[in-house]
Amino acid sequence: MTIAAAAACLGGILLFVGLAAAALLAQSGEGGTNGLFDDYIWRVTRFTLLQASLSTVLSILFSIPVSRALARQASFPGRIWMLRLMALPLGLPALVAALGLIEVWGRQGLLNKGLAALGLQQPISIYGLFGILVAHVFFNMPLAARLMLAGLERIPPEYWRSSANLGMGSLAIFRFVEWPAIRGLLPGIAGLVFMLCATSFTLVLTLGGGPAASTIEVAIYQALRFDFDPPRAITLSGLQVVLTGTLLVALKYLAPPPAEGATTGRMTRRFDGLSGASRLVDGAWLVLALLFVGLPFAAIAVSGMQADLARLVGEPAVRRALASSAAIAIPSAIISVAMAALMIRTQRLLLARRHGMPGRLFAGAIGASTSFILLAPPVVLGAGWFLLLRPFGDVARFAPFVVIAINALMALPFVHRVLAPAMATHAARTGRLAASLGVGGFHRLRWIDWPGLRKPLLMAFSFALALSLGDLGAVALFGSQDLATLPWLLYSRMGSYRTADAAGLALLLGLICLVLTMLGTAGEKAEGRRA
């Protein structure tokens, strides 16, 4: 039954994406595909690969010392709030975050004002490749750091006692204990970050600075929005899938899966990172990460506090937008988490029971679907389903269900990255014992699976909620007075030059995302793990 349900999920994903693409192709008529591989396309392809590769490398390099510092320093004041701050970029609309980054890195931003005070005449420009890299690292470094931190916290406590007994130094612990855990996670994390950067749209459009800094995603948008050339948009989407998919396949074989060591389940306690030098180095990395991630949020908060928040909250339009956002985000998060858990469990069953080549192919298709869904641009899915539903009358009647489905699929890769390592570790540590005791069904779920997986499930659910709440792409085609989410209302207020209201809505959305990160870290103590 589990395998059949996973097959239904996989079929539903393929059908949902395939019907949208077919609808666009059916509306194309003769279609203008001439010049598909012109100089402009080659240029945006090269720039897409360049900026995504650099953004991924910078995000990973920054996240490794930050996650290691958070893992080693488990009891400093405010640690839990820093973890919540690191989850905030994921839930903010890209446009809101871009405004915060401009407040810090822009020509009139805090950094350039500080450089001008020092007598430097050449300010830093936030536009172009540099701005895109800063924005992508701002979004993806905290995500990578949290995923790595989860992997480091799953290291068996016996490893730390053994390393202390052997007198291993910091470099030796990183090489023999921490790096094997991180190395197994790197392909998945790097692939996820690369896909997010390669398919980035709003940030590139806002900070790119012109045609010289355009990506394939922007070219797809232009093909649909300005030229209405669906064949070109579909072919560009295929090009994006091929390029990114090739890299993902290569990344998959660069590192082995993380090794799951046996453990007695005793409480974790690390003995490294206690020296003054270690605390100083870790503190420097944490302060740097705090400033890099926190300053744009502080700028958003300062701008938002200047708005009349009481009036905004009392507006019927804002309340309706908040209700619409919740009505879309909650079911999409539930669907995404349920699909991811079901598909991960099915993969393990197929590989464990050795169903032969068909089973391995099916397991591979399930794993690939959770990654490649990010390569289906939301604008393509939304436009395709808009065309499909138009013959049935008012599209607004179906809009909430389409937006929920798109948001659930877009959150699936994030949820999968959170749950897959945790479920693998949990199965390795409890599977044989549960089988030998004959514990299964509801009793296993209640007494074994839920206590062991509660924390990653809450984190995955909060990630999916934040992503759906901050989404603008899926609702952009269907937004109306009857379906106005907070990001859509924020975008509308900015378009009508009501900047004070937009800043207040941005602050409100940021506070909601903060509450969601508190939900995702509800199982964590202030010291980060049990001592």
Side-chain angles (χ1 to χ4, degrees):
M1 183 175 179
T2 300
I3 296 177
C9 290
L10 180 60
I13 293 173
L14 297 177
L15 188 65
F16 189 83
V17 176
L19 286 177
L24 284 173
L25 291 175
Q27 291 287 329
S28 62
E30 294 297 324
T33 58
N34 293 330
L36 174 62
F37 295 104
D38 52 24
D39 291 339
Y40 173 72
I41 296 304
W42 288 119
R43 185 168 69 250
V44 299
T45 300
R46 289 193 298 269
F47 184 79
T48 299
L49 296 176
L50 173 65
Q51 63 87 14
S53 300
L54 290 176
S55 299
T56 302
V57 171
L58 292 174
S59 298
I60 294 296
L61 290 179
F62 195 178
S63 64
I64 289 177
V66 171
S67 61
R68 190 174 183 232
L70 286 169
R72 293 204 305 178
Q73 307 302 327
S75 59
F76 65 88
R79 182 183 186 272
I80 189 66
W81 288 103
M82 185 165 185
L83 289 176
R84 291 165 178 167
L85 174 67
M86 300 285 279
L88 275 180
L90 188 65
L92 273 189
L95 186 60
V96 176
L99 294 177
L101 290 170
I102 291 173
E103 290 286 339
V104 177
W105 296 84
R107 182 174 294 274
Q108 301 299 324
L110 297 176
L111 185 59
N112 277 324
K113 288 180 180 179
L115 293 176
L118 297 176
L120 299 178
Q121 300 300 321
Q122 295 295 329
I124 295 175
S125 175
I126 189 63
Y127 299 102
L129 178 60
F130 176 77
I132 292 173
L133 294 180
V134 170
H136 283 166
V137 175
F138 169 79
F139 271 99
N140 297 307
M141 182 279 291
L143 172 64
R146 282 185 64 91
L147 293 176
M148 288 184 189
L149 177 62
L152 291 174
E153 290 182 340
R154 287 194 298 270
I155 295 176
E158 290 79 7
Y159 286 25
W160 304 120
R161 285 193 291 272
S162 297
S163 63
N165 291 333
L166 293 173
M168 296 171 64
S170 178
L171 291 178
I173 289 176
F174 177 75
R175 178 182 178 185
F176 295 109
V177 181
E178 293 175 315
W179 176 245
I182 294 175
R183 182 182 58 187
L185 299 173
L186 277 182
I189 295 175
L192 178 62
V193 172
F194 184 89
M195 282 192 297
L196 290 172
C197 298
T199 59
S200 178
F201 171 70
T202 305
L203 291 175
V204 176
L205 204 63
T206 305
L207 302 175
S214 294
T215 61
I216 295 177
E217 193 85 3
V218 175
I220 294 171
Y221 171 77
Q222 291 173 342
L224 286 175
R225 178 66 177 83
F226 299 110
D227 304 326
F228 195 70
D229 189 355
R232 183 180 178 93
I234 294 297
T235 309
L236 285 170
S237 299
L239 175 63
Q240 184 171 266
V241 169
V242 170
L243 291 175
T244 312
T246 301
L247 181 66
L248 291 180
V249 172
L251 283 173
K252 181 178 179 181
Y253 295 99
L254 283 180
E260 305 296 347
T263 179
T264 59
R266 300 170 67 181
M267 291 182 293
T268 299
R269 181 184 178 188
R270 290 188 63 159
F271 301 91
D272 60 326
L274 302 179
S275 66
S278 297
R279 292 181 183 273
L280 182 63
V281 172
D282 290 343
W285 280 110
L286 293 177
V287 169
L288 180 61
L290 179 63
L291 292 175
F292 183 75
V293 178
L295 282 179
F297 286 111
I300 294 172
V302 171
S303 300
M305 291 300 293
Q306 297 175 2
D308 190 349
L309 293 178
R311 177 185 59 80
L312 275 178
V313 174
E315 285 188 13
V318 174
R319 293 185 178 182
R320 286 195 301 269
L322 180 59
S324 297
S325 295
I328 290 173
I330 293 174
S332 68
I334 294 174
I335 293 172
S336 187
V337 172
M339 287 179 62
L342 177 63
M343 297 170 85
I344 293 169
R345 176 171 171 78
T346 302
Q347 276 185 289
R348 296 191 59 83
L349 288 176
L350 289 171
L351 297 176
R353 294 178 182 177
R354 300 181 180 180
H355 288 264
M357 183 59 69
R360 290 196 297 271
L361 290 176
F362 184 34
I366 290 175
S369 67
T370 60
S371 297
F372 283 107
I373 189 61
L374 268 184
L375 301 181
V379 65
V380 172
L381 296 179
W385 277 96
F386 181 87
L387 295 174
L388 279 172
L389 296 172
R390 191 168 55 178
F392 297 95
D394 186 10
V395 178
R397 292 185 300 163
F398 310 98
F401 304 101
V402 176
V403 174
I404 287 172
I406 293 177
N407 286 350
L409 293 182
M410 292 299 110
L412 191 60
F414 299 90
V415 174
H416 187 274
R417 292 305 187 281
V418 173
L419 290 183
M423 291 181 68
T425 300
H426 178 74
R429 294 177 177 176
T430 64
R432 292 184 179 179
L433 180 60
S436 65
L437 295 175
V439 180
F442 175 77
H443 293 290
R444 173 168 178 167
L445 176 65
R446 179 182 179 184
W447 300 109
I448 299 177
D449 293 338
W450 173 246
L453 296 174
R454 178 177 55 192
K455 179 179 172 181
L457 283 171
L458 285 173
M459 180 184 294
F461 184 73
S462 67
F463 270 15
L465 267 177
L467 279 171
S468 184
L469 276 174
D471 173 73
L472 179 62
V475 79
L477 290 172
F478 301 98
S480 65
Q481 296 298 326
D482 297 325
L483 183 63
T485 62
L486 279 178
W488 190 87
L489 186 62
L490 168 62
Y491 182 78
S492 300
R493 297 289 171 92
M494 290 186 64
S496 58
Y497 299 102
R498 298 171 65 178
T499 54
D501 285 358
L505 290 173
L507 177 59
L508 179 62
L509 193 55
L511 292 175
I512 294 174
C513 292
L514 177 61
V515 173
L516 291 179
T517 60
M518 294 174 65
L519 172 66
T521 54
E524 300 182 35
K525 297 182 180 180
E527 67 272 13
R529 59 178 180 270
R530 293 171 295 178

